[in-house]
Amino acid sequence: MRTLIEKATILTMDNGGRLYLDGHVLFDENGILAVGSGACSQDADIRVDGRQGILMPGMINVHSHIPMIPFRSMGDDCPDRLRRFLFPLELEAMTPDLVYAAARYAACELLLSGVTSILDMYYFEDQVARACEETGIRAWVGETVIGQETCDSKTPYGGLPLCEELIRKWQGHKRIHPLVAPHATNTSSPQMLKAAYDLSVKYQVPYTLHVSEMDYEMSYFKEQYGKTPIAFLHDLGVLGERTIAVHCIHATGPDIRLLADTGTKVAHCIGANTKAGKGICPALDMRKAGVGIGIGSDGPSSGNTMDLFTQFKMIASFQKTKYRDRSAFPAREIVELGTMGGARVLGAEDEIGSIEIGKQADLVLLETKSVNMFPLYNPYSAIVYSANASNVDSVWVQGRQLVRGGRLMEMDLQTERDRLWAEMKEFRNCADKYQDML
Ligand SMILES: [Zn+2]
């Protein structure tokens, strides 16, 4: 089935930065067949009038914990909430069915906001993979490996064999890509961080973990090893092309050189980092050093929404303020981080991230008729500074249309919400005991 979108401003996000006014894109489920200005001379089964909207590559969210929807708006302002109630409540109340229902609901939110690829790390991750497979979103999924009892393993590090199971089950799938996800530098032993890395090498999959995020993490590594967490990971031999270091808020100059020299990628989660008052990742220094950066929303408990428009605005505001430079991170570079930047972080730059012949048709059409989108001089600026998720009109993943006119085509949001709410009954009972913190 060949689909032709015409009469749209097309931001290809290719290496040449090509932009087509009044352009067209022709594609099918195997990939993009044509892109250019004006009318397309080839035949199509479906024709979509872009109505002078903006067509961009599907957005790529490189860090989240999507089954944490039930935690959203819970204890947002509570200090040290990870240890005080997030870990305990997860342990008591997360079940495979709840993870599945929450992941389906999250997929609705992601698709409606124009996110077509998500990297997720959580527990019962096979249920996340199943939900993403069914809902049509593209996903990188990793079972969390951590040195404590979890909801899916009575023994510490039970995530490691589960991770291998996940890889064996899903490797080779067209849209669902397994990876290895130790929780953080300070929540797994060095031996287990290395064992997890070896697993990622064995199966040639990405490796991701939280790095240089917490103040107590920084002081622990300083006291214990006399080095930063990034230097520690480097000496352990787990930095490299397949490693995606999440947050890196406290990365130093030498840390940034280590990231650049080893080809380690960074997931920048500005919303979650600044909401928690943790600090601002030196993303501009990283970019100048040649470190590959993508954008993550973090989980709906930390970042609340999972769209990238929210992150775009915050990256602009916080990075410009940190460096006291209005010209730092111009809008086009921020859109690049959310598309090609994310694709490179995932090692999927030959497949997604830009609108080019031969790449997968992961596309987002933004309408420009709404009150917030007029006038429109620079489409990159409009996306970063003016647009929000409600401007997403249509979304395709792998050539399959999943959103049209701002509505899901294959799922019913109310049905998904009702299913999740019913599944949250026991979770809400458990949450009651933490009421004083929420
Ligand atoms: Zn996270």
Side-chain angles (χ1 to χ4, degrees), residues 63-65 68 121 183 210 213 246-247 269 272 297-299 302:
H63 181 72
S64 193
H65 315 282
M68 291 187 78
M121 58 185 279
H183 179 264
H210 300 99
E213 177 190 9
V246 181
H247 301 311
C269 305
S297 61
D298 215 343
S302 307

Side-chain angles (χ1 to χ4, degrees), residues 16-46:
R18 267 176 281 267
L19 179 156
Y20 300 105
L21 295 171
D22 195 22
H24 68 264
V25 176
L26 178 72
F27 58 89
D28 64 14
E29 59 279 8
N30 295 316
I32 294 169
L33 302 164
V35 52
S37 335
C40 177
S41 56
Q42 301 186 53
D43 287 340
D45 304 299
I46 301 168

Side-chain angles (χ1 to χ4, degrees), residues 89 92-93 425-435:
L89 190 50
E92 281 174 76
K425 193 166 182 289
E426 188 53 36
F427 175 91
R428 286 182 283 131
N429 287 340
C430 289
D432 268 352
K433 71 170 78 110
Y434 302 101
Q435 213 42 260

Side-chain angles (χ1 to χ4, degrees), residues 11-325:
L11 309 187
T12 66
M13 304 314 294
D14 66 8
N15 282 338
R18 267 176 281 267
L19 179 156
Y20 300 105
L21 295 171
D22 195 22
H24 68 264
V25 176
L26 178 72
F27 58 89
D28 64 14
E29 59 279 8
N30 295 316
I32 294 169
L33 302 164
V35 52
S37 335
C40 177
S41 56
Q42 301 186 53
D43 287 340
D45 304 299
I46 301 168
R47 299 179 94 91
V48 177
D49 182 350
R51 291 178 294 137
Q52 305 310 317
I54 300 170
L55 188 75
M56 64 184 292
M59 286 173 267
I60 299 171
N61 184 336
V62 296
H63 181 72
S64 193
H65 315 282
I66 65 173
M68 291 187 78
I69 295 275
F71 294 82
R72 176 149 62 188
S73 84
M74 184 183 271
D76 274 329
D77 305 319
C78 172
D80 198 22
R81 61 190 195 139
L82 180 67
R83 295 186 293 195
R84 288 175 72 189
F85 75 85
L86 289 183
F87 275 155
L89 190 50
E90 268 177 346
L91 183 61
E92 281 174 76
M94 290 310 286
T95 64
D97 290 344
L98 182 54
V99 164
Y100 172 69
R104 280 189 66 98
Y105 185 85
C108 295
E109 181 179 344
L110 289 160
L111 290 169
L112 285 168
S113 71
V115 173
T116 54
S117 289
I118 178 78
L119 186 155
D120 188 72
M121 58 185 279
Y122 204 58
Y123 309 102
F124 300 113
E125 195 67 20
D126 185 46
Q127 296 298 326
V128 178
R130 178 183 155 216
C132 292
E133 211 269 339
E134 289 172 358
T135 55
I137 197 166
R138 198 180 294 282
W140 274 255
V141 291
E143 177 72 29
T144 300
V145 178
I146 190 166
Q148 62 195 41
E149 182 188 354
T150 62
C151 51
D152 59 358
S153 171
K154 285 277 163 214
T155 53
Y157 303 113
L160 201 59
L162 288 172
C163 209
E164 185 157 17
E165 236 174 78
L166 187 78
I167 296 170
R168 285 170 178 268
K169 180 168 174 185
W170 291 95
Q171 195 160 40
H173 191 283
K174 272 191 170 174
R175 270 190 297 107
I176 311 298
H177 307 279
L179 51 78
V180 180
H183 179 264
T185 58
N186 58 323
T187 51
S188 290
S189 67
Q191 293 78 11
M192 295 311 282
L193 288 173
K194 185 72 169 70
Y197 187 75
D198 292 343
L199 187 67
S200 74
V201 173
K202 178 179 173 187
Y203 289 99
Q204 298 289 296
V205 296
Y207 173 86
T208 191
L209 76 170
H210 300 99
V211 179
S212 292
E213 177 190 9
M214 306 290 194
D215 286 338
Y216 56 74
E217 173 193 0
M218 302 310 292
S219 48
Y220 169 78
F221 277 94
K222 192 170 181 195
E223 283 160 25
Q224 191 76 13
Y225 301 103
K227 53 180 99 164
T228 64
I230 290 172
F232 166 83
L233 292 177
H234 177 259
D235 295 347
L236 193 62
V238 304
L239 294 185
E241 296 277 347
R242 71 180 63 256
T243 301
I244 304 165
V246 181
H247 301 311
C248 298
I249 300 166
H250 306 295
T252 62
D255 284 344
I256 292 171
R257 278 195 293 281
L258 287 177
L259 295 172
D261 290 348
T262 55
T264 302
K265 317 295 194 304
V266 169
H268 182 30
C269 305
I270 190 72
N273 298 163
T274 54
K275 177 186 162 202
K278 288 173 183 161
I280 303 168
C281 163
L284 188 63
D285 292 325
M286 289 178 180
R287 195 163 172 84
K288 282 181 182 161
V291 177
I293 305 173
I295 303 172
S297 61
D298 215 343
S301 170
S302 307
N304 296 63
T305 61
M306 293 178 291
D307 67 278
L308 290 197
F309 296 102
T310 306
Q311 306 302 320
F312 288 164
K313 285 172 192 56
M314 283 196 271
I315 290 174
S317 299
F318 281 103
Q319 293 294 333
K320 287 170 194 292
T321 303
K322 178 179 174 69
Y323 292 95
R324 299 179 64 84
D325 179 1

